[in-house]
Amino acid sequence: MSKMRENFVRLAEARTNKALKMISIIGNLSNKNNYQYEKKDVEKIFNALQAELERNRKRFEAALVNKKNSGFKLEQ
């Protein structure tokens, strides 16, 4: 496995696991015995999370498209 691939796998796993843990503990805020919130608050939280996920998905997709459509080349 190439060094770039190893770095990607290592960082992707660590960062994804960290993000999943952080998202999971947002769920702790659902305890009505400890917190007061409204439905609109919950919607804002999940809309923000979804929007950030979509922005990042588009970054990956754009990077893949840009690599495939590298334009005209006489030699490789």
Side-chain angles (χ1 to χ4, degrees), residues 17-75:
N17 285 324
K18 185 175 181 179
L20 291 171
K21 180 166 177 54
M22 293 287 101
I23 291 169
S24 177
I25 65 174
I26 289 172
N28 294 346
L29 296 170
S30 67
N31 186 337
K32 285 280 198 174
N33 293 324
N34 294 324
Y35 307 104
Q36 180 181 351
Y37 57 89
E38 297 175 11
K39 184 176 179 176
K40 67 180 179 178
D41 300 322
V42 175
E43 291 299 319
K44 283 183 180 182
I45 291 168
F46 285 93
N47 286 341
L49 292 170
Q50 188 64 42
E52 189 61 28
L53 284 171
E54 286 301 316
R55 274 191 292 275
N56 278 280
R57 178 183 296 275
K58 287 177 183 176
R59 288 177 66 185
F60 276 95
E61 290 170 352
L64 291 173
V65 167
N66 288 339
K67 185 165 182 122
K68 288 180 184 175
N69 297 331
S70 57
F72 174 79
K73 293 182 182 180
L74 288 174
E75 297 181 29

